[in-house]
Amino acid sequence: MRRAIEVAKRGWGDTHPNPLVGALIVEGGEVVAEGHHAKAGEAHAEVNALRALGRKPRNDATLYVTLEPCCTHGRTPPCTDAIVDAGITRVVIGATDPNPAHAGKGFDVLRAGGVEVTSGVLAAECDDLNLIFNHWIATGRPLFAAKSGVTLDGKVATRTGDSKWITGEPARANGHLWRRYFPAIAIGAGTLRADNPRLTARVSGVEWCPWRFVFDGLLRSVLDQHMPNLYTDEFRERTIVVTTTHGGLGYVRKLNSMGVKTWVLPGAGTKVSFADFRRRCADEGIDGVFFEGGAQLLSELLQARELDYLFTYHAPVLFADDKGKAIFRGLRTETLANAVRLERVRHEAHGDDTLMRGFVKYPEKMFVDEATFSKRSLVE
């Protein structure tokens, strides 16, 4: 199953809105064929493994697959039918289909076809392949994730703004891998002006461009000279500026004339509503967004209870300076019961840095710090 997980990753970032799935056929204790799901609308992993085998499986053949085989007609026929028709007599499965309407039904169809089924093997690891897909299926909402690289005392920059680089090269490379996984990446206008980033994923020497969102409620990033890279580079048609009606139609037209897309969304004053942004992403089929900063954008995302998942790379560095810049701020957390927590946490070492990642769990009551923002209680 660990090998099947690695095979599934061959489709990393390319299968949206479908899941990553890997499959192996084993005969006599040896892997004789492998297959993965490469792209939505194309053959599923199980079918690709059977095609790779190129012959009828032996009587002792076992199919290992990371996700419960589909048992319904979609853009492709049910994989359960292909498995039974091929004569596979034993299937070992990792994760169960997250769709409540389908969960477990694939097992039933296979058993009814005379197939021995073992499920739940490395289920948590197989589930972890599909953070975006599982969230999308379970909630009908895109997954909003944030990434930060911080010191041991939770700072992202010194008091003077120096931040390159807190984390080492292995951690930054892993961050690019997650950029490649998400169909979209997002930053605030302040980060755009300060860093002028490219926001592409560079993995194994190949550059790939996701959808690139810039949150800019007043369109202050639209300049007469020295336009940001995201508005002028070869991927500018993959850039979407998210703004409000306060941004000015003239600036919107200027961006559109350059090939940059704009989403003018309602909001409170000059701030875009994250709930409206999420709905627009869902309407456009964008099932996951990777928020990379800055601190203001990520803090507002957290305050609005719209952050679903968090990646934090911890570096073995201490500032021990109250005026160092933190990635999250603006909450008044007086007791542990009011703290935001992570659940289903995973830890990974990348060089000298450690990645902690997990789903965000909000307290019943969460309060905004009145010294920074207007005093109000945010209660679900």
Side-chain angles (χ1 to χ4, degrees):
M1 190 60 73
R2 293 193 190 281
R3 175 60 186 167
I5 290 172
E6 291 306 309
V7 170
K9 291 178 181 178
R10 294 173 184 169
W12 190 262
D14 289 331
T15 63
H16 303 298
N18 284 7
L20 289 164
V21 185
L24 310 174
I25 298 174
V26 175
E27 295 178 344
E30 299 291 333
V31 175
V32 294
E34 298 178 341
H36 72 285
H37 181 48
K39 187 177 180 180
E42 296 184 1
H44 291 185
E46 303 92 320
V47 171
N48 282 331
L50 290 166
R51 288 174 178 173
L53 183 62
R55 57 173 172 78
K56 184 175 177 60
R58 285 180 4 191
N59 291 336
D60 66 342
T62 298
L63 174 71
Y64 289 79
V65 60
T66 57
L67 182 65
E68 177 182 352
C70 64
C71 60
T72 57
H73 282 271
R75 282 188 277 184
T76 59
C79 289
T80 49
D81 290 358
I83 293 167
V84 172
D85 292 344
I88 294 285
T89 58
R90 181 171 182 254
V91 176
V92 178
I93 298 165
T96 300
D97 190 325
N99 188 335
H102 299 159
K105 291 186 177 180
F107 305 154
D108 296 338
V109 171
L110 290 173
R111 289 182 176 123
V115 179
E116 177 188 344
V117 176
T118 301
S119 63
V121 177
L122 296 182
E125 288 83 349
C126 292
D127 270 334
D128 191 57
L129 280 170
N130 290 303
L131 298 176
I132 293 175
F133 173 77
N134 292 345
H135 185 82
W136 178 264
I137 291 298
T139 68
R141 292 153 49 97
L143 180 73
F144 283 1
K147 186 209 80 171
S148 65
V150 302
T151 64
L152 291 177
D153 47 345
K155 305 298 183 182
V156 295
T158 66
R159 63 171 64 198
T160 63
D162 186 19
S163 63
K164 292 186 178 180
W165 297 99
I166 288 175
T167 56
E169 178 57 35
R172 298 198 298 274
N174 184 255
H176 273 271
L177 190 66
W178 284 107
R179 276 188 184 183
R180 183 65 181 87
Y181 178 76
F182 279 78
I185 189 170
I187 60 171
T191 298
L192 181 67
R193 292 195 302 268
D195 298 341
N196 195 20
R198 190 164 171 83
L199 296 187
T200 56
R202 296 176 292 280
V203 179
S204 300
V206 178
E207 186 176 34
W208 175 83
C209 186
W211 287 110
R212 304 179 298 184
F213 286 110
V214 177
F215 281 74
D216 189 355
L218 289 175
L219 293 181
R220 289 174 175 164
S221 62
V222 184
L223 309 173
D224 292 328
Q225 296 179 337
H226 307 297
M227 283 287 226
N229 289 332
L230 300 191
Y231 301 166
T232 60
D233 68 13
E234 69 272 32
F235 300 119
R236 60 187 176 275
E237 292 185 355
R238 300 283 292 174
T239 299
I240 303 174
V241 180
V242 185
T243 189
T244 68
T245 54
H246 299 278
L249 290 177
Y251 287 136
V252 169
R253 286 193 292 267
K254 183 172 184 176
L255 286 170
N256 294 161
S257 70
M258 296 169 61
V260 177
K261 297 175 176 60
T262 51
W263 288 2
V264 181
L265 302 179
T270 61
K271 294 180 180 179
V272 173
S273 163
F274 290 113
D276 287 331
F277 173 67
R278 196 191 291 265
R279 282 190 286 270
R280 181 66 181 271
C281 285
D283 291 343
E284 299 289 338
I286 298 173
D287 54 7
V289 182
F290 199 42
F291 287 78
E292 286 205 9
Q296 183 73 20
L297 179 66
L298 299 192
S299 295
E300 290 175 1
L301 189 65
L302 186 73
Q303 292 157 27
R305 292 178 175 258
E306 293 288 352
L307 179 61
D308 304 309
Y309 200 87
L310 179 62
F311 296 79
T312 305
Y313 296 86
H314 294 266
V317 177
L318 278 171
F319 288 170
D321 184 349
D322 290 343
K323 293 186 178 180
K325 303 180 186 301
I327 191 65
F328 290 111
R329 59 177 184 264
L331 295 183
R332 192 176 79 246
T333 305
E334 297 178 350
T335 69
L336 284 173
N338 295 132
V340 179
R341 297 179 179 272
L342 297 187
E343 56 185 8
R344 285 179 276 170
V345 176
R346 303 185 75 85
H347 301 269
E348 303 168 15
H350 298 283
D352 291 333
D353 306 318
T354 301
L355 169 62
M356 178 188 293
R357 59 183 176 91
F359 287 89
V360 179
K361 182 180 181 181
Y362 292 96
E364 181 179 350
K365 292 184 178 181
M366 194 169 75
F367 297 92
V368 171
D369 183 359
E370 61 183 307
T372 309
F373 300 94
S374 61
K375 184 178 181 180
R376 63 189 186 277
S377 171
L378 302 177
V379 183
E380 279 187 321

